[in-house]
Amino acid sequence: MKVRRWTGSAWKSAMALALVLLGVTGCTSDNRQADSGETEITVLLDWYPNAVHTFLYAAQELGYYEEAGLKVNLQTPADTNDALKLVATGKADLALSYQMQVALSRSEGIPIVSVGAVVRHPLNQLLVLDSNEIQSPKDLVGKKIGYPSIPLDEAIVNTMVESDGGDPSKLTYTDVGWDLIPAMTTKKVDAIIGGYVNHEKLLLEKEGENITAFDPSKFGVPDYYELVLTASEEGIQSNGDAIKNFIEASAKGQAYTASHPEEALQLLLNKQSEDFPLDAEVEKQSLAILLPLMDAGDQPFASQTEQSWKSVIDWLTEQGQLKNEVKAAEAFRNL
């Protein structure tokens, strides 16, 4: 799980968008019709538009949402916590978030439900500076691990190290906030958790660093869905057909992206914000990493399994992360 936060002008721009969003989406999309007669849906992204959102922009630009009778507004909130709260309170219809964050939110009584698995495997991986001294997670004992002060990130690394035969009580964590990349390039830390293999790893490599990534799912952490599409329980009841239509149209966008990655990515790049400019080459590499991790195989795009949710909830419970019981069958829906 990665809860993205902002600094400086980027934070101000994102917050301005969130405030605008609060002003224009004061109700759910139940019975809300655009002037064209389409059902209007507001979708909150998990971060600024980047390669992982290509399928959304492809579906929008190629007319798949329009064909489904939808007018889709893609918005950027200040951070993921804002997105879930906006959806839970009916200020937005859907939000991209994280499987573990959904479980944590439900344990706090927030009526959020996952309606689709977008990225089916972990992106938040343990990134280490290539060194003969660090061949696997257990070798981090005695090294410095940078993290953004998120207890769940600590739990992930502790599990990885213990699974690898190391002693997690001997690990040293350094809170670097979201300055994950500078912490590595200045050698302030030997490793980071909270960075994505399709983003921070690529940016570090572009700066000349040799980076090794350790996948949490190979070291005791459940193979969780990194990115999921969420709705509120009330929203599913009142607007389930529109949400289902959105997912089906998005699946067409993903199919186009998988078969035409360069053309689909260009549709995203054409829509990038001046406040959050993209590096086209990095995004191209990112999409190449993402596509296999988004592939549901012989199952429909965005499909979910109860076993995945049970494994994640059981692990979170073992780690003491959940305030109250969460039932796997109630945390997701396959519409």
Side-chain angles (χ1 to χ4, degrees):
M1 180 195 73
K2 186 164 191 172
V3 179
R4 301 279 193 172
R5 290 185 173 84
W6 310 82
T7 57
S9 60
W11 185 90
K12 293 177 182 177
S13 298
M15 182 57 75
L17 280 170
L19 292 174
V20 169
L21 182 61
L22 281 168
V24 302
T25 59
C27 60
T28 65
S29 63
D30 183 29
N31 297 321
R32 189 175 71 232
Q33 300 293 314
D35 292 339
S36 62
E38 300 165 327
T39 300
E40 190 170 357
I41 288 184
T42 296
V43 182
L44 306 183
L45 306 182
D46 57 300
W47 204 28
Y48 65 76
N50 64 88
V52 76
H53 307 123
T54 302
F55 74 103
L56 296 171
Y57 285 86
Q60 188 174 63
E61 295 303 305
L62 295 173
Y64 298 149
Y65 293 135
E66 185 177 0
E67 291 171 2
L70 303 173
K71 176 179 172 55
V72 175
N73 303 310
L74 302 175
Q75 302 280 359
T76 305
D79 63 41
T80 302
N81 287 327
D82 286 346
L84 290 179
K85 291 173 183 176
L86 287 169
V87 170
T89 56
K91 301 296 185 180
D93 304 289
L94 297 167
L96 287 172
S97 188
Y98 310 90
Q99 184 178 26
M100 291 190 182
Q101 186 63 33
V102 170
L104 290 169
S105 296
R106 289 191 65 83
S107 78
E108 296 173 353
I110 300 174
I112 289 292
V113 178
S114 172
V115 293
V118 177
V119 179
R120 312 184 68 81
H121 307 283
L123 296 175
N124 179 14
Q125 299 189 13
L126 181 60
L127 306 181
V128 304
L129 294 169
D130 270 356
S131 167
N132 292 331
E133 299 177 358
I134 306 176
Q135 299 295 317
S136 66
K138 68 175 181 295
D139 297 331
L140 284 170
V141 172
K143 307 296 183 182
K144 291 183 179 179
I145 305 166
Y147 80 123
S149 192
I150 296 177
L152 187 54
D153 282 337
E154 284 189 79
I156 288 174
V157 177
N158 289 346
T159 297
M160 294 176 70
V161 170
E162 185 174 17
S163 173
D164 195 36
D167 184 354
S169 69
K170 296 182 179 179
L171 296 176
T172 300
Y173 290 95
T174 300
D175 183 0
V176 298
W178 288 107
D179 293 327
L180 296 167
I181 292 176
M184 289 280 268
T185 57
T186 60
K187 308 302 186 288
K188 181 178 180 180
V189 297
D190 304 287
I192 56 172
I193 188 69
Y196 276 15
V197 291
N198 68 309
H199 187 72
E200 280 81 1
K201 182 174 185 288
L202 297 179
L203 292 176
L204 282 165
E205 290 172 341
K206 185 175 181 179
E207 294 194 25
E209 301 293 346
N210 293 317
I211 303 295
T212 297
F214 295 114
D215 184 344
S217 68
K218 307 299 182 185
F219 297 93
V221 179
D223 187 13
Y224 60 90
Y225 303 140
E226 185 69 61
L227 203 63
V228 296
L229 183 68
T230 65
S232 68
E233 292 179 352
E234 182 180 350
I236 293 173
Q237 291 179 353
S238 62
N239 209 30
D241 288 343
I243 294 173
K244 182 178 180 181
N245 291 339
F246 173 82
I247 294 172
E248 291 175 350
S250 296
K252 293 181 180 179
Q254 178 64 11
Y256 178 83
T257 300
S259 60
H260 301 81
E262 292 187 10
E263 294 88 342
L265 182 60
Q266 190 59 51
L267 295 174
L268 169 73
L269 295 174
N270 291 343
K271 291 291 185 177
Q272 65 182 296
S273 168
E274 292 182 0
D275 293 321
F276 313 116
L278 301 174
D279 183 317
E281 185 56 35
V282 168
E283 297 307 316
K284 181 179 179 180
Q285 295 176 54
S286 176
L287 186 59
I289 292 170
L290 287 164
L291 285 175
L293 303 180
M294 300 171 77
D295 187 355
D298 59 358
Q299 298 299 308
F301 173 69
S303 62
Q304 307 170 87
T305 68
E306 184 172 346
Q307 181 56 51
S308 172
W309 281 94
K310 185 177 185 306
S311 296
V312 165
I313 290 169
D314 286 348
W315 180 78
L316 288 170
T317 301
E318 292 170 2
Q319 299 300 313
Q321 296 291 318
L322 300 181
K323 293 183 177 180
N324 296 291
E325 180 185 5
V326 176
K327 296 181 179 178
E330 297 176 357
F332 78 100
R333 304 281 194 284
N334 283 321
L335 300 179

